[in-house]
Amino acid sequence: MKKFNQYIIEAKNTHLEHVEDLIFNEGVKGTRKAINFLRDLRDMLSGSNKSSISRTVKWDGAPAVFAGIDPTDGKFFVAKKGVFNKDPKVYKTPADVKADTSGDLQKKLLVALEQFSKLGIKKGVYQGDLMFTKGDVSKENIDGQSYYTFQPNTIVYAVPVKSSLGKKIATSAIGVVWHTTYTGDSFESMSASFGKSIVSKFNSVPSIWQDDANYKDLSGTATFTKSETEEVTSLLSDAGTLFRRIPGKLLDEFADNEELQMRTKVFNNTFVRAGSQINPKTHVKGLMDYMFDFYKKEIDSKKTQKSKDDWIEKRKNAMSIFTKYPKKQIENVFVLMVLLSDVKNKIIAKMNEASSIGTFLRTRNGFEVTDQEGFVAIDHLSNDAVKIVNRMEFSRANFSPDVIKGWEK
């Protein structure tokens, strides 16, 4: 089982896995981990505080922004994701920003450099999602109410004009949601932590709207009812029973066979992008057909027999699972994935009730109510973290030509 700091060494918080994909990434261990994450979230939403799990909200911001102190010289900087390159790319002066960036990104980083230098950061590096700079905030009427809106990416965030939060956003030069803290003596060796209070460490600056990504139920109502708890518990019970019936070697085959794992996740994602539910009974045959066609195309494109033979061997290794195990057992893996996705989506729906800022999609026919992008669940005992995202809903919005994105306005 990977510890969270291993994920960070690999990707410095540029990639987290969806909870249901742990089945394919880590086999038996990952499946057990996914079930335990969802059980703990159910317990938390049912009013139990015994869990080591905490939650953060995934904000649909852009770009990712970093601010902190360069451990090599003690100077303040801002950066984009290049901060964790082999040769770290950080900006300590306006000249640094102008030399490496252009257009809208340059403008935003110049504002970030000026404003975040006022936060009083003494040590460490902090990552956040940039939500807006001054010119991005608009005043719009939605369903007869006046809102300040900003749209960094796909989701439109809307705050009532007359609210105290709306007044703060209207007078801010920049808005950011902080979510990750990095500590260490060098960029290369830094480790990350989620789910910790960040804003409380910083100066309060009138020209900056900032928040932590920590999940907050300001409504006090985002908890499961007795019947909702029973429904989720029943689904988790079904998942646990099915998990025990699936051969462990079959689950570990997905985790240990990188080619099989990759092809399976690519095929699964075609359903996510299309907004289509997976039917396990037809999914296995579809996966076999997809994989055979994929490898045939690769084999046919190779000019040398050696290259063809290499890809024939890849196909044999990746598709051997279909001759090793009965089709019904492989189907059960996808039944389990669907069960976990159903539990996840019920948890997401309840957690979304706690949102304090309106979220909409800007369509060609007007505004459409939507949910937050999703959440991240963090286990502070094991340091594992996973994404809890309604993939069908968010992918539908991302890929729909009827939804106007922030960069298309």
Side-chain angles (χ1 to χ4, degrees):
M1 181 185 298
K2 291 184 181 179
K3 296 296 186 184
F4 185 54
N5 61 352
Q6 288 178 283
Y7 285 108
I8 296 305
I9 289 170
E10 292 171 4
K12 286 290 194 283
N13 190 17
T14 59
H15 183 71
L16 286 172
E17 291 292 347
H18 293 277
V19 65
E20 65 272 28
D21 278 352
L22 293 177
I23 294 174
F24 306 105
N25 295 338
E26 300 180 36
V28 170
K29 288 183 178 179
T31 305
R32 186 175 294 115
K33 187 193 300 182
I35 291 172
N36 288 338
F37 261 115
L38 294 172
R39 280 176 177 162
D40 281 349
L41 287 167
R42 174 209 56 192
D43 291 346
M44 184 177 292
L45 289 170
S46 300
S48 171
N49 292 317
K50 296 178 182 178
S51 171
S52 63
I53 298 286
S54 68
R55 299 154 288 178
T56 63
V57 179
K58 280 181 65 60
W59 290 74
D60 189 31
V65 65
F66 297 77
I69 303 299
D70 186 335
T72 63
D73 62 12
K75 292 184 179 179
F76 174 81
F77 72 88
V78 296
K80 44 194 177 72
K81 287 183 179 178
V83 64
F84 293 118
N85 290 348
K86 187 174 181 180
D87 180 20
K89 192 165 284 188
V90 298
Y91 311 121
K92 298 173 183 176
T93 67
D96 292 341
V97 175
K98 292 175 182 177
D100 188 58
T101 62
S102 61
D104 191 54
L105 176 62
Q106 181 183 103
K107 293 176 184 176
K108 290 183 183 303
L109 287 172
L110 286 172
V111 176
L113 179 65
E114 176 190 3
Q115 295 297 325
F116 295 163
S117 65
K118 304 172 185 177
L119 293 173
I121 300 174
K122 303 297 183 188
K123 190 176 182 181
V125 177
Y126 301 88
Q127 181 181 352
D129 290 315
L130 192 60
M131 305 308 295
F132 63 82
T133 51
K134 190 71 174 178
D136 300 325
V137 178
S138 303
K139 193 174 181 180
E140 299 188 72
N141 188 288
I142 304 176
D143 293 335
Q145 185 169 351
S146 185
Y147 291 91
Y148 289 120
T149 66
F150 48 95
Q151 185 183 9
N153 218 336
T154 300
I155 293 175
V156 178
Y157 293 92
V159 183
V161 166
K162 294 183 179 179
S163 68
S164 57
L165 179 57
K167 292 172 184 175
K168 172 65 178 175
I169 286 172
T171 57
S172 294
I174 194 168
V176 61
V177 177
W178 304 106
H179 55 70
T180 308
T181 302
Y182 297 92
T183 55
D185 295 329
S186 68
F187 288 121
E188 187 176 21
S189 66
M190 281 185 171
S191 59
S193 58
F194 267 172
K196 293 186 177 180
S197 176
I198 294 176
V199 171
S200 62
K201 300 177 183 179
F202 296 161
N203 294 337
S204 177
V205 181
S207 54
I208 301 174
W209 172 72
Q210 57 181 334
D211 199 357
D212 294 312
N214 289 346
Y215 177 84
K216 310 172 188 74
D217 181 8
L218 299 179
S219 68
T221 61
T223 54
F224 280 141
T225 63
K226 184 173 181 290
S227 63
E228 288 170 337
T229 300
E230 289 172 351
E231 184 179 8
V232 169
T233 299
S234 177
L235 288 171
L236 284 170
S237 178
D238 290 344
T241 299
L242 187 58
F243 177 34
R244 288 188 290 272
R245 283 170 42 199
I246 298 172
K249 287 184 178 179
L250 169 55
L251 289 169
D252 286 340
E253 181 96 15
F254 284 99
D256 297 337
N257 188 325
E258 290 185 12
E259 193 72 19
L260 169 64
Q261 181 191 122
M262 183 193 311
R263 292 296 121 218
T264 301
K265 289 169 72 173
V266 168
F267 183 64
N268 289 348
N269 281 335
T270 62
F271 287 79
V272 173
R273 290 191 175 200
S276 303
Q277 296 291 336
I278 286 175
N279 180 342
K281 287 189 177 298
T282 58
H283 199 69
V284 175
K285 175 65 164 57
L287 175 60
M288 291 174 65
D289 292 343
Y290 155 73
M291 289 178 68
F292 187 85
D293 291 344
F294 170 81
Y295 288 111
K296 184 179 186 304
K297 184 177 179 181
E298 289 296 331
I299 292 164
D300 290 347
S301 71
K302 303 308 175 218
K303 297 188 175 172
T304 68
Q305 190 58 46
K306 183 180 182 309
S307 294
K308 289 179 183 290
D309 289 344
D310 287 344
W311 276 93
I312 289 170
E313 187 65 20
K314 275 189 180 184
R315 179 176 66 187
K316 178 182 174 182
N317 290 337
M319 298 192 69
S320 64
I321 191 172
F322 301 114
T323 54
K324 286 182 186 176
Y325 300 94
K327 181 170 178 280
K328 181 63 178 176
Q329 290 183 346
I330 302 174
E331 283 178 5
N332 281 342
V333 175
F334 295 99
V335 174
L336 180 57
M337 184 190 76
V338 170
L339 276 171
L340 296 183
S341 295
D342 287 346
V343 173
K344 176 195 69 173
N345 288 336
K346 289 182 183 302
I347 287 170
I348 289 170
K350 183 55 63 173
M351 290 170 66
N352 274 324
E353 293 180 14
S355 179
S356 60
I357 294 181
T359 48
F360 299 87
L361 298 176
R362 191 187 304 275
T363 76
R364 304 193 187 282
N365 296 316
F367 287 101
E368 177 184 314
V369 175
T370 191
D371 292 326
Q372 289 275 5
E373 179 184 348
F375 306 89
V376 175
I378 309 107
D379 187 333
H380 292 290
L381 294 182
S382 66
N383 286 322
D384 286 318
V386 291
K387 287 191 285 194
I388 310 292
V389 175
N390 186 330
R391 297 166 83 174
M392 295 293 187
E393 172 67 17
F394 198 67
S395 290
R396 179 191 70 81
N398 269 337
F399 293 102
S400 171
D402 294 324
V403 175
I404 302 168
K405 315 305 187 293
W407 62 87
E408 295 176 327
K409 290 187 296 179

